[in-house]
Amino acid sequence: MISKDKAFYITTAIDYPSSAPHLGHAYEKICADCIARWKRLQGYDVFFLTGTDEHGLKIQRAAKKAKKSPQEFVDEMSKKFKNLCKVLNISNDRFIRTTEKVHGKVAQAILEKVNKKGDIYKGEYEGLYCIDCETFYLEKDSLNLECPTHKKPLEKVREESYFFKMSKYEKQIIEHIKKNKNFILPKHKQAEILNRLKDGLKDLSVSRTPLKWGIPVPFNKKHTIYVWFDALINYLSGIDYKTKTFEKYWPADIHLIGKDILWHHTVIWGSMLSSAGIKLPKTVLVHGFINLKGEKLSKAAGRIINPIKLVETYGADALRYYILKDIVFGEDGDFSEEGLKERNNELADKLGNLVSRLEGLAKKAGEIKKTTPDKRLIGKLKLKEIEKKLDNYELDKALHLIIEFVDECNKYIQEKKVWQLKGKELNKALYTIADSLRVASILLHPFIPEASEEILNRLKEKKISLERTKFGLLGSIKIKKSDVLFKKVK
Ligand code: ME8
């Protein structure tokens, strides 16, 4: 049994399955997976949750357009998101769907709790609503009555609604953000929320009557729960709220989300949890957006990229490698297929080449005997720096440093002219290279798990853990010549 302080709970946002998954969804899952695998490498007992957000008007309308019932529609669509996880080699422990009964019960229980606290009242909502982000807007926050994110006309709404007294939690949330410097990361994102809070916090409409596709409000079945109130609760139901699993993993260590939903995850979620008497998550970690030629991905404008197709052509590792190396974590980044091709070929030239050169040389040399590895090469690995970067979620920087070490390994072969060496000298050089490749592959596991496991398998390394990144742990070994790891694309 691993103690609670070794438990690590990471979540992604749950995606709207209103249409097929896009590259932005893939990006978020890849980043979360990289962090989850890194934590496992460090010896944490990780729980990694992802899933789909299946209620609300947006889904109801998409189902109608597809001439399907909402349930049929989400059953089909959520499979595509589940499949995306599989294809990308995502190591999530659970895939939650908000249409699951267990989730509905937890959502109702939390609403009841908030109601019992005296934080719910009935009123009339009159305002503007964006279906694409399922969010209410005030006229002053809109641009010519358009959604500031989606640039589409907002719908006027006037209906009976239950309200959550979010305004009551304004001071508490501000204090929490100021006191807990890691609550919102990267740090520069804190100012954005604190600034917005300067306008004062309004109560939140948390139920809708015209919308039937949702979880019924437990104390008035004519109403359904507002989709964001419902969705955020997945982070509790996903680890079986009120069970031992929940006790072990809550509060979440990381909610990884895109920059457009930071308000929902800090202010709305923070207020909901405070009202329900539940601890707030430790960190809301914000990533940037993937754009296409500097512009937002958009179905309407034909700027949509299917991540499944990319994996079919390049493989999951190449896509993961490209995304994790070329996009500075926390900032927006541009996708280009040219860039992906380049990184795919770089993997072949750097890591693939190192593996095949080692295998070629080792085949001729026979068994490589265990010895002391050469300090001139192993001293080049910046392990402490890599660990620090990963702990700070500077994923791209960590990956650059690991690949720098792979470059050093290739350089070592070249400079030592290993193919000309004989006897003890040859053995030492080959042992040094094989052991260095073993260490590099362990560190690459969070980024390119498939290739990492394949190389470690070839090197007979059984345990993928940070403890095994010490040099000199490789035993005597006979290395065969195996298949090429990465195929170059023209
Ligand atoms: O917001 N680049 O769902 P969603 C990077 N259901 N990330 C992107 C992106 C892009 N181009 N486009 C979207 C929702 N994302 C809600 C979440 S959580 C309780 C409910 C990210 O399908 C986006 O920022 O619109 C979000 O984190 C995730 O994909 C799902 O977006």
Side-chain angles (χ1 to χ4, degrees), residues 13-16 22 24-25 28 53 235 258 260-261 287 289-290:
I14 47 171
D15 308 324
Y16 288 129
H22 56 65
H25 294 134
E28 186 168 296
D53 182 359
Y235 301 131
D260 56 329
I261 54 174
H287 63 74
F289 263 35
I290 292 205

Side-chain angles (χ1 to χ4, degrees), residues 11 78 98 124 143 170-171 179 196 201 210 247 283 397 450 466:
T11 67
S78 75
T98 51
E124 186 174 77
L143 291 167
E170 180 183 319
K171 269 206 184 115
K179 239 168 103 189
R196 202 168 149 190
L201 196 52
E247 293 302 326
T283 296
K397 298 197 176 55
E450 204 180 320
L466 200 57

Side-chain angles (χ1 to χ4, degrees), residues 292-321:
L292 198 59
K293 296 195 181 108
E295 297 206 60
K296 214 171 168 285
L297 299 179
S298 150
K299 206 173 155 190
R303 284 192 303 273
I304 276 292
I305 295 160
N306 179 353
I308 308 265
K309 278 226 165 105
L310 294 178
V311 174
E312 276 166 11
T313 312
Y314 301 93
D317 277 349
L319 179 61
R320 292 173 66 115
Y321 182 73

Side-chain angles (χ1 to χ4, degrees), residues 110-127:
I110 298 293
L111 184 55
E112 284 281 21
K113 219 169 169 187
V114 172
N115 190 27
K116 285 210 178 104
K117 176 88 180 275
D119 284 350
I120 297 288
Y121 63 92
K122 206 188 217 178
E124 186 174 77
Y125 181 79
E126 193 176 351

Side-chain angles (χ1 to χ4, degrees), residues 207-238:
S207 79
R208 306 211 60 191
T209 43
L211 178 71
K212 299 292 164 240
W213 183 238
I215 301 168
V217 168
F219 40 84
N220 185 343
K221 299 276 160 58
K222 274 199 291 190
H223 289 242
T224 52
I225 302 178
Y226 168 47
V227 64
W228 265 101
F229 196 95
D230 153 2
L232 286 160
I233 292 169
N234 91 88
Y235 301 131
L236 306 179
S237 54

Side-chain angles (χ1 to χ4, degrees), residues 68-105:
K68 298 206 164 108
S69 74
Q71 188 64 58
E72 250 183 303
F73 182 74
V74 292
D75 283 349
E76 267 175 35
M77 292 303 282
S78 75
K79 277 192 196 136
K80 298 191 186 205
F81 285 80
K82 240 185 177 169
N83 181 48
L84 177 71
C85 292
K86 195 169 154 232
V87 164
L88 292 172
N89 213 350
I90 303 298
S91 62
N92 55 303
D93 295 282
R94 170 138 156 62
F95 186 98
I96 187 162
R97 300 181 54 194
T98 51
T99 49
E100 288 172 32
K101 265 205 185 108
V102 279
H103 168 76
K105 281 198 180 138

